[in-house]
Amino acid sequence: MAISDAKQSSGIFGWIERTGNKLPDPVFLFFYLILFVIALSVVAEFFGWSAVHPIEVNAETGSNTVIGAASLLSAENIQRLWIEMPKTFTHFHPLGYVLVVMLGAGVAERSGLFATAMRAGVRNAPVAILTPIVALVAMLGNLAADAAYVVLIPLAGIIFAAAGRHPIAGIAAAFAGVSGGFSANLFPGQLDALLFGITQAAAETVFPGWEANIAGNWYFIVVMTFVFLPVIWFVTDRIIEPRLGTYSGALNPSENISGDVQPVQEDMQDKALTVDEKRGLRFAGIALLAVVALWLLMLFGPGTALVDESAAPEAQLTPFYQSLVAGFFLLFLLAGWGFGKGVGNIKNHRDLVKMMSDSMADMAYFLVLAFMVAHFVAMFSWSNLGLITAVHGAVALQSLDMPAPVLLALVVIFVAVMNLFVGSASAKWALLAPILVPMLMLIGVSAETTTAAYRVGDSATNIITPLMVYFPLILIFCQRWNKDFGIGNLTAMMLPYAIWLLGTGLLLIMIWVGLDIPLGPNSPVFSPPPTGN
């Protein structure tokens, strides 16, 4: 059965699918938004929209500057658009963060390190704790990006079948971990670099001196991992697998195939690690320890290269946090190189360079999207609409006197609903951040807190929208075990995960904010608005 022949979902999910399919590609979505901002800026300037800048002071009057809306069709802004186009693109913070990390992560992926590490993590798991191990490896697999979807999810089905359990339950648990727990992890990674790059660009529209810290949600995502883990375990073993019943089909998915669905690929099979793969993992482990040791030396060793001893105590580790992008690049690069040396697919420096080059080729679409998003964010800032909206929005929120936990819960719910229609995490955050981040900063909610709330909402509903880019692939994985499994079946199966993950995510962010627990190193929940340079 081809994916195009699968049964279409009906009801609310069918409407979401049909509506979402009518949306343009994210690149053109931001192009249309740019046109809308241009038109809105003309109207705003004509009607004299303005706001008092929260930190900028007029030198002549000594009072805060009144900022008015600026038409993007003015001669100044038209000139700025064309002259600064290269600068607007290359100075877009997520661009550098993501490309640097992916130069290393691409080597780790192409050498086979990510796929082999995930296989090693789940294939010998004890039957009694098979579900939580699969879920945990799936959440950690987010560091491996696409590899987690392509390798771990089908592998989980095979491992469940081999353990006498329903293979589709294994696929569901892995899918819930990889996608439903999309932001949960034990370590920051590419996603943190991407999201905090956008957060920084948004914060700078009002607070030019604000610096992003990609470890700003580290504590939060670690706790999220261990909160989501028992949820996925419970939903899989107590809700999903009993509904699926006892599996009585073949133990090899290729034996269930009919029509044009392809047999399971070799790299998705549950095969023992080879001698070369074990050697590669040892080399990768040595490389990982070497990078960690190097960073510890620069943090605590002579000269303390990553400590600013002249800064205030709370800011002394800022160079360390800012170095983490380079640290993850080097960690992924050397670990991938070590694994490739061990298995023999990196024989010389040319093989390494080719893997790095190929990883950049995979980023081509991101570059196109980043070009459009960079100009949307920049032009929104040039028009002063972001600042005006943020200031007046902050005043409105203050007048409502809404408790911070409730306010952040509403952000989570709004993002979760929006995620049903716009699946791209970066595109959605680039759309929301220019308003949400400065607006909440103005009422004392830190940019890290807003980013954390966004991550909770962005994760939970990934697994129930047919617009999610990997949704058809997951359906094919299920059809290898049950050829009649359709989109409606997959959506209904993943719905309990979405409900439970969203509910626990809401409780987590509300309790976290209510207790005012730091979200990461030097990343408080509440922070007074920056006062300028």
CSV table of all heavy atoms in Angstrom, one decimal, residues 429-473:
chain,number,residue,atom,x,y,z
A,429,TRP,N,8.8,29.5,15.8
A,429,TRP,CA,9.4,30.4,16.8
A,429,TRP,C,9.9,31.7,16.2
A,429,TRP,O,9.8,32.8,16.8
A,429,TRP,CB,10.6,29.7,17.4
A,429,TRP,CG,11.2,30.3,18.6
A,429,TRP,CD1,12.5,30.5,18.9
A,429,TRP,CD2,10.5,30.9,19.8
A,429,TRP,NE1,12.7,31.1,20.1
A,429,TRP,CE2,11.5,31.4,20.7
A,429,TRP,CE3,9.2,31.1,20.1
A,429,TRP,CZ2,11.1,32.0,21.9
A,429,TRP,CZ3,8.8,31.7,21.3
A,429,TRP,CH2,9.8,32.2,22.1
A,430,ALA,N,10.3,31.7,14.9
A,430,ALA,CA,10.7,32.9,14.3
A,430,ALA,C,9.5,33.8,14.1
A,430,ALA,O,9.6,35.1,14.1
A,430,ALA,CB,11.4,32.6,12.9
A,431,LEU,N,8.3,33.3,14.0
A,431,LEU,CA,7.1,34.0,13.8
A,431,LEU,C,6.6,34.6,15.1
A,431,LEU,O,6.2,35.7,15.2
A,431,LEU,CB,6.0,33.1,13.2
A,431,LEU,CG,4.6,33.7,13.0
A,431,LEU,CD1,4.7,34.9,12.0
A,431,LEU,CD2,3.7,32.7,12.5
A,432,LEU,N,6.8,33.8,16.2
A,432,LEU,CA,6.2,34.2,17.5
A,432,LEU,C,7.2,35.0,18.4
A,432,LEU,O,6.8,35.9,19.1
A,432,LEU,CB,5.8,33.0,18.3
A,432,LEU,CG,4.6,32.1,17.7
A,432,LEU,CD1,4.4,30.9,18.5
A,432,LEU,CD2,3.4,32.9,17.6
A,433,ALA,N,8.5,34.7,18.3
A,433,ALA,CA,9.5,35.2,19.2
A,433,ALA,C,9.6,36.8,19.2
A,433,ALA,O,9.7,37.4,20.2
A,433,ALA,CB,10.8,34.6,19.0
A,434,PRO,N,9.5,37.4,18.0
A,434,PRO,CA,9.7,38.8,18.0
A,434,PRO,C,8.7,39.6,18.8
A,434,PRO,O,8.9,40.8,19.2
A,434,PRO,CB,9.6,39.2,16.5
A,434,PRO,CG,10.0,38.0,15.8
A,434,PRO,CD,9.5,36.8,16.6
A,435,ILE,N,7.5,39.0,19.1
A,435,ILE,CA,6.5,39.6,19.9
A,435,ILE,C,6.6,39.1,21.3
A,435,ILE,O,6.6,39.8,22.3
A,435,ILE,CB,5.1,39.5,19.3
A,435,ILE,CG1,5.0,40.2,18.0
A,435,ILE,CG2,4.0,40.0,20.3
A,435,ILE,CD1,3.7,40.1,17.3
A,436,LEU,N,6.5,37.7,21.5
A,436,LEU,CA,6.5,37.1,22.8
A,436,LEU,C,7.7,37.4,23.7
A,436,LEU,O,7.5,37.7,24.8
A,436,LEU,CB,6.3,35.6,22.6
A,436,LEU,CG,4.9,35.1,22.2
A,436,LEU,CD1,5.0,33.5,22.2
A,436,LEU,CD2,3.9,35.5,23.3
A,437,VAL,N,8.9,37.3,23.1
A,437,VAL,CA,10.1,37.4,23.9
A,437,VAL,C,10.2,38.8,24.5
A,437,VAL,O,10.3,38.9,25.8
A,437,VAL,CB,11.3,37.0,23.1
A,437,VAL,CG1,12.6,37.4,23.9
A,437,VAL,CG2,11.3,35.5,22.8
A,438,PRO,N,10.2,39.9,23.7
A,438,PRO,CA,10.4,41.2,24.4
A,438,PRO,C,9.2,41.6,25.2
A,438,PRO,O,9.3,42.3,26.2
A,438,PRO,CB,10.6,42.1,23.2
A,438,PRO,CG,10.0,41.4,22.0
A,438,PRO,CD,10.3,40.0,22.2
A,439,MET,N,8.0,41.2,24.8
A,439,MET,CA,6.8,41.5,25.6
A,439,MET,C,6.9,41.0,27.0
A,439,MET,O,6.6,41.7,28.0
A,439,MET,CB,5.5,41.0,24.9
A,439,MET,CG,4.2,41.4,25.6
A,439,MET,SD,2.8,40.9,24.6
A,439,MET,CE,2.9,39.1,24.6
A,440,LEU,N,7.3,39.7,27.1
A,440,LEU,CA,7.3,39.1,28.4
A,440,LEU,C,8.6,39.6,29.2
A,440,LEU,O,8.5,39.6,30.4
A,440,LEU,CB,7.3,37.6,28.3
A,440,LEU,CG,6.0,37.0,27.7
A,440,LEU,CD1,6.1,35.5,27.7
A,440,LEU,CD2,4.8,37.4,28.6
A,441,MET,N,9.6,39.9,28.5
A,441,MET,CA,10.8,40.5,29.1
A,441,MET,C,10.5,41.8,29.8
A,441,MET,O,11.0,42.1,30.9
A,441,MET,CB,12.0,40.7,28.1
A,441,MET,CG,12.6,39.4,27.7
A,441,MET,SD,13.9,39.7,26.5
A,441,MET,CE,15.3,40.4,27.5
A,442,LEU,N,9.6,42.5,29.2
A,442,LEU,CA,9.2,43.9,29.7
A,442,LEU,C,8.4,43.7,31.0
A,442,LEU,O,8.4,44.7,31.8
A,442,LEU,CB,8.4,44.6,28.7
A,442,LEU,CG,9.2,45.2,27.5
A,442,LEU,CD1,8.2,45.7,26.4
A,442,LEU,CD2,10.1,46.4,28.0
A,443,ILE,N,7.8,42.6,31.3
A,443,ILE,CA,7.1,42.4,32.6
A,443,ILE,C,7.9,41.5,33.5
A,443,ILE,O,7.3,41.0,34.5
A,443,ILE,CB,5.6,41.8,32.3
A,443,ILE,CG1,5.7,40.5,31.7
A,443,ILE,CG2,4.8,42.8,31.5
A,443,ILE,CD1,4.3,39.8,31.6
A,444,GLY,N,9.2,41.3,33.2
A,444,GLY,CA,10.0,40.6,34.1
A,444,GLY,C,10.2,39.1,33.9
A,444,GLY,O,10.8,38.4,34.7
A,445,VAL,N,9.5,38.5,32.9
A,445,VAL,CA,9.7,37.1,32.6
A,445,VAL,C,10.9,37.0,31.6
A,445,VAL,O,10.9,37.6,30.5
A,445,VAL,CB,8.4,36.5,31.9
A,445,VAL,CG1,8.6,35.1,31.5
A,445,VAL,CG2,7.2,36.7,32.8
A,446,SER,N,11.9,36.2,32.0
A,446,SER,CA,13.1,36.1,31.2
A,446,SER,C,12.9,35.5,29.9
A,446,SER,O,11.9,34.7,29.7
A,446,SER,CB,14.2,35.3,32.0
A,446,SER,OG,13.8,33.9,32.0
A,447,ALA,N,13.8,35.8,28.9
A,447,ALA,CA,13.7,35.2,27.6
A,447,ALA,C,13.8,33.7,27.6
A,447,ALA,O,13.2,32.9,26.8
A,447,ALA,CB,14.7,35.8,26.7
A,448,GLU,N,14.6,33.2,28.6
A,448,GLU,CA,14.8,31.7,28.7
A,448,GLU,C,13.5,31.0,29.1
A,448,GLU,O,13.2,29.9,28.7
A,448,GLU,CB,15.9,31.4,29.8
A,448,GLU,CG,17.3,31.8,29.4
A,448,GLU,CD,17.6,33.3,29.7
A,448,GLU,OE1,16.7,34.0,30.2
A,448,GLU,OE2,18.8,33.7,29.5
A,449,THR,N,12.7,31.7,30.0
A,449,THR,CA,11.4,31.1,30.4
A,449,THR,C,10.4,31.1,29.2
A,449,THR,O,9.8,30.0,29.1
A,449,THR,CB,10.8,32.0,31.5
A,449,THR,OG1,11.8,32.1,32.6
A,449,THR,CG2,9.5,31.4,32.1
A,450,THR,N,10.4,32.1,28.5
A,450,THR,CA,9.5,32.1,27.3
A,450,THR,C,9.9,31.0,26.3
A,450,THR,O,9.0,30.3,25.7
A,450,THR,CB,9.5,33.5,26.6
A,450,THR,OG1,9.2,34.5,27.6
A,450,THR,CG2,8.5,33.6,25.5
A,451,THR,N,11.2,30.9,26.1
A,451,THR,CA,11.7,29.8,25.2
A,451,THR,C,11.3,28.4,25.7
A,451,THR,O,10.9,27.6,25.0
A,451,THR,CB,13.2,29.9,25.1
A,451,THR,OG1,13.6,31.3,24.6
A,451,THR,CG2,13.7,28.9,24.0
A,452,ALA,N,11.4,28.2,27.1
A,452,ALA,CA,11.1,26.9,27.6
A,452,ALA,C,9.6,26.6,27.4
A,452,ALA,O,9.2,25.5,27.1
A,452,ALA,CB,11.4,26.9,29.1
A,453,ALA,N,8.7,27.7,27.7
A,453,ALA,CA,7.3,27.5,27.5
A,453,ALA,C,7.0,27.1,26.0
A,453,ALA,O,6.2,26.2,25.7
A,453,ALA,CB,6.5,28.7,27.9
A,454,TYR,N,7.7,27.8,25.1
A,454,TYR,CA,7.5,27.5,23.7
A,454,TYR,C,7.9,26.0,23.4
A,454,TYR,O,7.2,25.3,22.7
A,454,TYR,CB,8.4,28.4,22.8
A,454,TYR,CG,8.4,28.0,21.4
A,454,TYR,CD1,7.4,28.3,20.5
A,454,TYR,CD2,9.5,27.2,20.9
A,454,TYR,CE1,7.4,27.9,19.2
A,454,TYR,CE2,9.5,26.8,19.5
A,454,TYR,CZ,8.4,27.1,18.7
A,454,TYR,OH,8.4,26.7,17.4
A,455,ARG,N,8.9,25.5,24.0
A,455,ARG,CA,9.4,24.2,23.7
A,455,ARG,C,8.4,23.1,24.2
A,455,ARG,O,8.2,22.1,23.5
A,455,ARG,CB,10.8,24.0,24.4
A,455,ARG,CG,11.8,24.9,23.9
A,455,ARG,CD,13.1,24.7,24.7
A,455,ARG,NE,13.9,23.5,24.2
A,455,ARG,CZ,15.2,23.4,24.3
A,455,ARG,NH1,15.9,24.4,24.8
A,455,ARG,NH2,15.8,22.3,23.9
A,456,VAL,N,7.8,23.4,25.3
A,456,VAL,CA,6.7,22.4,25.8
A,456,VAL,C,5.6,22.4,24.8
A,456,VAL,O,5.1,21.3,24.5
A,456,VAL,CB,6.2,22.9,27.2
A,456,VAL,CG1,5.1,22.0,27.6
A,456,VAL,CG2,7.4,22.8,28.2
A,457,GLY,N,5.1,23.5,24.4
A,457,GLY,CA,4.0,23.5,23.5
A,457,GLY,C,4.3,22.9,22.1
A,457,GLY,O,3.5,22.3,21.4
A,458,ASP,N,5.5,23.2,21.7
A,458,ASP,CA,6.0,22.8,20.3
A,458,ASP,C,6.2,21.2,20.3
A,458,ASP,O,6.1,20.7,19.2
A,458,ASP,CB,7.3,23.4,20.0
A,458,ASP,CG,7.9,23.0,18.6
A,458,ASP,OD1,7.1,23.2,17.6
A,458,ASP,OD2,9.0,22.5,18.6
A,459,SER,N,6.4,20.6,21.4
A,459,SER,CA,6.7,19.1,21.4
A,459,SER,C,5.4,18.3,21.4
A,459,SER,O,5.3,17.3,20.6
A,459,SER,CB,7.5,18.8,22.6
A,459,SER,OG,8.8,19.4,22.6
A,460,ALA,N,4.5,18.6,22.3
A,460,ALA,CA,3.4,17.6,22.6
A,460,ALA,C,2.6,17.3,21.4
A,460,ALA,O,2.2,16.1,21.2
A,460,ALA,CB,2.6,18.2,23.7
A,461,THR,N,2.3,18.2,20.5
A,461,THR,CA,1.3,17.9,19.4
A,461,THR,C,2.0,17.5,18.1
A,461,THR,O,1.4,17.3,17.1
A,461,THR,CB,0.4,19.1,19.2
A,461,THR,OG1,1.2,20.3,19.0
A,461,THR,CG2,-0.6,19.3,20.3
A,462,ASN,N,3.4,17.4,18.1
A,462,ASN,CA,4.1,17.0,16.9
A,462,ASN,C,3.5,15.6,16.4
A,462,ASN,O,3.5,15.4,15.2
A,462,ASN,CB,5.6,16.8,17.2
A,462,ASN,CG,6.3,18.1,17.2
A,462,ASN,OD1,6.0,19.0,16.5
A,462,ASN,ND2,7.5,18.1,17.9
A,463,ILE,N,3.2,14.8,17.4
A,463,ILE,CA,2.9,13.4,17.1
A,463,ILE,C,1.5,13.1,16.6
A,463,ILE,O,1.1,12.0,16.2
A,463,ILE,CB,3.2,12.5,18.3
A,463,ILE,CG1,2.5,13.0,19.5
A,463,ILE,CG2,4.7,12.3,18.5
A,463,ILE,CD1,2.7,12.2,20.8
A,464,ILE,N,0.6,14.2,16.5
A,464,ILE,CA,-0.8,13.9,16.1
A,464,ILE,C,-1.1,14.7,14.9
A,464,ILE,O,-2.3,14.7,14.4
A,464,ILE,CB,-1.8,14.2,17.2
A,464,ILE,CG1,-1.6,15.7,17.7
A,464,ILE,CG2,-1.6,13.2,18.4
A,464,ILE,CD1,-2.7,16.1,18.7
A,465,THR,N,-0.2,15.5,14.3
A,465,THR,CA,-0.6,16.3,13.1
A,465,THR,C,0.0,15.6,11.9
A,465,THR,O,1.2,15.3,11.8
A,465,THR,CB,0.0,17.7,13.2
A,465,THR,OG1,-0.2,18.4,12.0
A,465,THR,CG2,1.4,17.8,13.6
A,466,PRO,N,-0.9,15.3,10.9
A,466,PRO,CA,-0.4,14.7,9.7
A,466,PRO,C,0.6,15.6,8.9
A,466,PRO,O,1.2,15.2,7.9
A,466,PRO,CB,-1.7,14.5,8.9
A,466,PRO,CG,-2.8,14.5,9.9
A,466,PRO,CD,-2.3,15.5,11.0
A,467,LEU,N,0.7,16.9,9.3
A,467,LEU,CA,1.6,17.8,8.6
A,467,LEU,C,3.0,17.7,9.1
A,467,LEU,O,3.9,18.3,8.5
A,467,LEU,CB,1.1,19.3,8.8
A,467,LEU,CG,-0.3,19.5,8.3
A,467,LEU,CD1,-0.8,20.9,8.6
A,467,LEU,CD2,-0.4,19.3,6.8
A,468,MET,N,3.2,17.0,10.2
A,468,MET,CA,4.5,16.7,10.7
A,468,MET,C,5.3,16.0,9.6
A,468,MET,O,4.9,15.0,9.0
A,468,MET,CB,4.5,15.9,12.0
A,468,MET,CG,5.8,15.9,12.7
A,468,MET,SD,6.7,14.4,12.3
A,468,MET,CE,8.1,14.6,13.4
A,469,VAL,N,6.5,16.5,9.3
A,469,VAL,CA,7.3,16.0,8.1
A,469,VAL,C,7.5,14.5,8.1
A,469,VAL,O,7.5,13.9,7.0
A,469,VAL,CB,8.6,16.8,7.9
A,469,VAL,CG1,9.5,16.5,9.1
A,469,VAL,CG2,9.2,16.5,6.6
A,470,TYR,N,7.7,13.9,9.3
A,470,TYR,CA,8.0,12.5,9.4
A,470,TYR,C,6.7,11.6,9.6
A,470,TYR,O,6.9,10.4,9.7
A,470,TYR,CB,9.0,12.2,10.5
A,470,TYR,CG,10.4,12.6,10.1
A,470,TYR,CD1,10.9,13.8,10.7
A,470,TYR,CD2,11.2,11.9,9.2
A,470,TYR,CE1,12.2,14.2,10.3
A,470,TYR,CE2,12.4,12.3,8.9
A,470,TYR,CZ,13.0,13.4,9.4
A,470,TYR,OH,14.2,13.8,9.1
A,471,PHE,N,5.6,12.2,9.6
A,471,PHE,CA,4.4,11.5,9.9
A,471,PHE,C,4.1,10.4,8.8
A,471,PHE,O,3.8,9.2,9.2
A,471,PHE,CB,3.2,12.4,9.9
A,471,PHE,CG,2.0,11.9,10.7
A,471,PHE,CD1,1.9,12.0,12.1
A,471,PHE,CD2,0.9,11.3,10.0
A,471,PHE,CE1,0.8,11.5,12.7
A,471,PHE,CE2,-0.2,10.8,10.7
A,471,PHE,CZ,-0.3,10.9,12.0
A,472,PRO,N,4.3,10.7,7.5
A,472,PRO,CA,4.1,9.6,6.5
A,472,PRO,C,5.1,8.5,6.7
A,472,PRO,O,4.8,7.3,6.5
A,472,PRO,CB,4.3,10.4,5.2
A,472,PRO,CG,4.0,11.8,5.5
A,472,PRO,CD,4.5,12.0,6.9
A,473,LEU,N,6.3,8.8,7.1
A,473,LEU,CA,7.4,7.8,7.3
A,473,LEU,C,7.0,6.9,8.4
A,473,LEU,O,7.1,5.7,8.3
A,473,LEU,CB,8.7,8.5,7.5
A,473,LEU,CG,9.9,7.5,7.7
A,473,LEU,CD1,10.2,6.7,6.5
A,473,LEU,CD2,11.1,8.3,8.2
